[in-house]
Amino acid sequence: MKVLVMNAGSSSLKYQLYDMKDESVLASGRVERIGMDSSIVTHEPADKAEVRDVSEILDHVTAVKRVIDMLLHPEHGILSDISQIEAVGHRVVHGGEVFKSSVLVTTEVKQEIKRLFDLAPLHNPAHMMGISAVEANMPNVPQAVVFDTAFHQTMPEASYLYPIPKVLYRRHKIRRYGFHGTSHSYVSAQAAALLEQPLASLKMITAHIGNGASCTAILDGKSFDTSMGMTPLEGLMMGTRSGDLDPAIVPFVMNKEDLTLNEVNSMLNKHSGMLAVSGLSSDMREITEAMAEGDKNARLAFDMYTYRLRKYIGAYAAGMNGVDVLVFTAGVGENSVVLRQAVCEGLTFLGIELDAAKNAERSKEARYISTEASRVKVLVVPTNEELLIARDTYELAMAAGTEQHS
Ligand code: AMP
């Protein structure tokens, strides 16, 4: 079975075509600048050269049509007929409290996703455009939705409620949802497999450290707590997001600087974090390079970033009354040797002992970076959210097919 995975944004659409026989990626690509006159389609077939096409793509229906054209193209394509795509899986950022796992798209599911627009105004409407665009181009193909929040729906009340008037939860569903759930779920399962132990038997902390960053405590195989909150702004310091701060700063700054809600939102989401502290960049590579050349602000940004991450790891170890496994993943977590070293150096009290040589190894494989003697096993596990979306979609489509035939 071939499964197409899609991640639709407001002006972009990323895709991967999987052959579920061996979970290989047959092609991947992206459409950028949807809604503009010079939209770009970049298509990367697995064993052929990359192709780029610039044209006018005014909406998501046309964007999906262009993706299909690429997949069927006599030269760069890999399919002879569109019916070879047997299911489509979508990444959806917010599933609220309704979606605790991935589901097949139905009229009711679409209505629920629309009801959640309020909680993810930048993301969910774009995902819906992606779903409708696939419906318009491939009306008979089953579609599945895989939510960033679903994995965290197992959190206990003590983790997900905020200490504010309860009426706000009842009226507006203000609570911690957590994000990057697909990644935390994928890497925790991979880590347990590498350790050859059941996930449910391990106290695990997964650190997804990329442009966005979140840390999750996994107890009994389930998300027990996570650092992102009602929105992806809470928690760790990130590339351009502040993460945790005193909430009283928001009205104070709005008053002193005469800022609107939109302006303060933009300040905290796009102009804070490493970018603001370093005054240089949100990219960890540039920060570590500048730090090595003696840049004091880059050093401070790095120190704040790693200190805040260490505090979360310590807090979650306390929350679970112990930790057996620490996993690093995503762009920074998978690649930054110095970040992992700085974080682990301050956690020796937990029984973490990093193996410097293993930490310095460059590899795309899941691996240990702690010593044999380390009480807490430290792992680097490359994340693969698309593969998990493809797997969930495949399983849901297969189950529905079996139901239909039984
Ligand atoms: P992601 O959001 O998971 O794609 O992660 C993107 C971030 O990973 C970038 O902003 C970089 O800061 C970081 N990154 C990627 N490669 C490296 C590297 N070799 N060393 C340090 N950071 C890296």
Side-chain angles (χ1 to χ4, degrees):
M1 181 189 262
K2 293 186 179 54
V3 169
L4 184 63
V5 172
M6 282 204 174
N7 184 353
S10 55
S11 64
S12 69
L13 192 156
K14 294 190 200 127
Y15 63 93
Q16 287 83 19
L17 182 68
Y18 278 90
D19 188 344
M20 296 314 288
K21 202 169 58 214
D22 55 4
E23 296 187 334
S24 59
V25 177
L26 300 172
S28 60
R30 60 193 178 275
V31 185
E32 291 160 290
R33 298 170 55 86
I34 299 172
M36 296 168 220
D37 54 9
S38 51
S39 318
I40 309 159
V41 184
T42 311
H43 176 69
E44 297 173 50
D47 48 7
K48 296 179 200 163
E50 178 187 299
V51 223
R52 262 164 79 90
D53 180 58
V54 180
S55 61
E56 183 183 76
I57 300 181
L58 291 180
D59 56 26
H60 285 66
V61 176
T62 316
V64 169
K65 168 127 193 16
R66 288 292 154 79
V67 171
I68 295 172
D69 290 345
M70 281 291 189
L71 293 170
L72 291 173
H73 195 277
E75 260 172 69
H76 339 292
I78 27 193
L79 300 176
S80 52
D81 196 285
I82 194 61
S83 64
Q84 288 174 278
I85 299 177
E86 292 183 68
V88 178
H90 295 265
R91 171 189 182 225
V92 175
V93 163
H94 222 305
E97 287 189 320
V98 183
F99 298 109
K100 300 187 190 310
S101 60
S102 308
V103 288
L104 283 178
V105 174
T106 61
T107 309
E108 294 75 41
V109 166
K110 283 189 285 186
Q111 278 164 356
E112 281 300 341
I113 296 173
K114 282 186 190 156
R115 267 187 221 119
L116 294 166
F117 278 7
D118 245 9
L119 286 174
L122 297 179
H123 293 100
N124 276 22
H127 303 321
M128 266 310 299
M129 286 197 277
I131 294 167
S132 304
V134 171
E135 253 171 21
N137 281 282
M138 297 183 255
N140 300 318
V141 172
Q143 298 193 71
V145 273
V146 179
F147 301 93
D148 275 14
T149 49
F151 180 64
H152 301 300
Q153 278 296 303
T154 51
M155 282 188 291
E157 267 186 331
S159 299
Y160 75 69
L161 284 179
Y162 290 114
I164 54 175
K166 196 114 188 232
V167 65
L168 296 173
Y169 170 58
R170 282 201 302 275
R171 272 195 208 142
H172 308 294
K173 291 283 172 228
I174 294 176
R175 52 159 286 179
R176 177 183 310 286
Y177 291 96
F179 298 87
H180 294 143
T182 315
S183 177
H184 290 292
S185 165
Y186 178 82
V187 300
S188 58
Q190 291 287 109
L194 193 71
L195 292 161
E196 296 180 352
Q197 287 182 51
L199 180 60
S201 69
L202 298 164
K203 291 176 178 173
M204 195 180 289
I205 297 174
T206 47
H208 175 112
I209 316 291
N211 270 328
S214 68
C215 202
T216 295
I218 299 170
L219 187 63
D220 299 327
K222 293 181 287 203
S223 174
F224 170 75
D225 202 353
T226 192
S227 60
M228 282 181 169
M230 174 169 142
T231 76
L233 181 58
E234 194 184 345
L236 299 169
M237 176 170 155
M238 306 177 215
T240 62
R241 285 174 242 171
S242 64
D244 295 337
L245 44 78
D246 179 348
I249 291 172
V250 175
F252 187 87
V253 169
M254 286 177 79
N255 183 31
K256 291 282 183 196
E257 297 285 324
D258 199 17
L259 296 185
T260 63
L261 278 175
N262 275 344
E263 286 166 341
V264 78
N265 231 338
S266 162
M267 176 192 91
L268 295 173
N269 278 290
K270 299 190 182 139
H271 306 284
S272 295
M274 270 201 308
L275 175 65
V277 179
S278 69
L280 183 73
S281 170
S282 61
D283 191 307
M284 185 56 89
R285 280 166 292 203
E286 288 180 38
I287 296 294
T288 39
E289 274 165 29
M291 202 166 76
E293 286 160 14
D295 187 310
K296 286 198 172 61
N297 291 326
R299 174 89 244 173
L300 178 62
F302 180 84
D303 287 348
M304 284 171 66
Y305 192 92
T306 48
Y307 175 57
R308 284 172 169 244
L309 174 53
R310 258 200 332 263
K311 285 205 291 185
Y312 261 100
I313 295 169
Y316 286 165
M320 294 191 289
N321 192 18
V323 53
D324 304 310
V325 188
L326 170 63
V327 182
F328 286 98
T329 192
V332 179
E334 289 167 32
N335 295 301
S336 180
V337 175
V338 281
L339 171 114
R340 294 191 301 252
Q341 186 186 335
V343 170
C344 292
E345 264 173 9
L347 294 171
T348 48
F349 79 100
L350 284 176
I352 287 182
E353 228 181 79
L354 205 63
D355 182 319
K358 284 187 188 155
N359 184 40
E361 265 170 33
R362 298 253 164 226
S363 163
K364 291 272 165 228
E365 301 295 315
R367 62 196 187 278
Y368 289 90
I369 54 167
S370 49
T371 63
E372 286 290 322
S374 183
R375 200 163 68 233
V376 177
K377 304 290 168 228
V378 185
L379 275 66
V380 175
V381 179
T383 194
N384 196 339
E385 291 161 275
E386 294 78 18
L387 177 57
L388 200 117
I389 296 172
R391 281 182 186 163
D392 277 11
T393 304
Y394 173 71
E395 276 165 29
L396 286 164
M398 290 294 282
T402 315
E403 240 169 59
Q404 257 178 15
H405 292 117
S406 60

